[in-house]
Amino acid sequence: MADSNLDQSQRPADVPYCRADIILALCLLVASLMVYVGEIYTCLNNNTPLCFGSASIPPDFAYLWTISYLQGLGDLTLIADSVYVSQLQMELTGRTEEYVWAYPPHFLFFVWPLSMAPQFIAYVAWVITGLVLLLWSCLSFTRFRLFFLIALILSPAVFANGADGHTGFYTAALLTGGILLAPRRPIVAGILFGLLTFKPHLGLLVPVALVAARLWRPIFSAIITSLCLVVASMVVHGTEPVSYTHLRAHETAMNISYAVFCLKRG
């Protein structure tokens, strides 16, 4: 019951940091900078995807942009055809990497606007928007904003995610924002957790943490948000895209079963 004596408006930033925390953070920052420099050196010497090669956009974002383009064509069944998507991706973006659709159907809402802009402009907007959301979710709850801003910007994870055009900025922003808002704004936190379901495996422990903290309203809010996304996806896209996720889950289960079988056999 000690928590009941705290002011409900108290922010996480009110919790003082000791000198050891700052020293540890500085050490982590230095280590991050060393990894950051190493990644750039590897990129420049080996022409890795971080340098884009001859394409104007990185591989992960090229796939997302191609999926957005397919939505414009109106035939969502093509998303499940990895061979066709790879060929179209090579024609449109110059990227030759092959991917398999492994997202829930409502993820199509997130990538739908991408192909409305030229590829490189869409990539820059995608990365900057995600990074701003991540910075906002993290820096809104700390007093050491400048220090953490520098640490985040120089983080190797930020560099790698931005260079690949992946979804990491958005998932990190949703997860961080949901966790920090859960005690004070449970409904908003639940909405963020619900939006995170486009990468459901990243939030497996969120319900466990919320139940342990007895924060019920974020759970109900997340369930309602998730159901709304599923219904909206079925209304807009039909029921066919659902089979893509089920197919991918079946393939994953088969791979896990085979791996366990191999381990048992030694």
Side-chain angles (χ1 to χ4, degrees), residues 17-101:
Y17 291 86
C18 65
R19 184 175 300 179
D21 295 331
I22 303 300
I23 295 176
L24 177 60
L26 287 173
C27 292
L28 293 175
L29 177 58
V30 172
S32 298
L33 286 173
M34 296 175 64
V35 177
Y36 185 87
V37 173
E39 287 188 357
I40 296 177
Y41 177 81
T42 302
C43 172
L44 295 176
N45 283 274
N46 298 330
N47 193 29
T48 64
L50 295 175
C51 289
F52 300 178
S54 59
S56 61
I57 55 177
D60 283 8
F61 183 79
Y63 177 73
L64 298 180
W65 194 93
T66 304
I67 294 298
S68 175
Y69 180 85
L70 280 175
Q71 290 188 73
L73 297 180
D75 190 356
L76 297 179
T77 59
L78 296 174
I79 296 176
D81 190 343
S82 59
V83 176
Y84 175 81
V85 173
S86 297
Q87 293 175 349
L88 181 63
Q89 176 181 290
M90 183 174 62
E91 295 174 3
L92 295 174
T93 68
R95 306 298 321 194
T96 59
E97 294 81 5
E98 182 175 341
Y99 295 90
V100 177
W101 178 257

Side-chain angles (χ1 to χ4, degrees), residues 218-243:
I219 296 178
F220 296 136
S221 177
I223 293 174
I224 294 174
T225 302
S226 302
L227 291 176
C228 289
L229 288 172
V230 172
V231 172
S233 176
M234 295 177 66
V235 171
V236 175
H237 303 127
T239 58
E240 184 64 24
V242 178
S243 63

Side-chain angles (χ1 to χ4, degrees), residues 90-164:
M90 183 174 62
E91 295 174 3
L92 295 174
T93 68
R95 306 298 321 194
T96 59
E97 294 81 5
E98 182 175 341
Y99 295 90
V100 177
W101 178 257
Y103 295 94
H106 57 265
F107 183 62
L108 295 172
F109 290 130
F110 291 86
V111 300
W112 167 69
L114 295 179
S115 61
M116 294 182 178
Q119 297 172 15
F120 186 75
I121 294 177
Y123 161 68
V124 173
W126 171 264
V127 171
I128 291 178
T129 302
L131 182 58
V132 169
L133 291 175
L134 175 60
L135 293 176
W136 176 82
S137 66
C138 294
L139 301 181
S140 298
F141 301 93
T142 178
R143 294 178 298 172
F144 302 98
R145 294 185 178 181
L146 180 60
F147 176 81
F148 282 98
L149 174 63
I150 296 174
L152 280 173
I153 293 296
L154 297 180
S155 169
V158 169
F159 172 73
N161 185 87
D164 266 350

Side-chain angles (χ1 to χ4, degrees), residues 3 5-16 141 180 183-184:
D3 293 340
N5 297 325
L6 295 176
D7 183 6
Q8 295 297 323
S9 63
Q10 187 179 33
R11 298 162 61 91
D14 297 329
V15 179
F141 301 93
L180 294 176
R184 300 184 299 110

Side-chain angles (χ1 to χ4, degrees), residues 202-214:
L202 298 181
L204 290 178
L205 294 181
V206 170
V208 178
L210 294 177
V211 170
R214 297 187 176 182

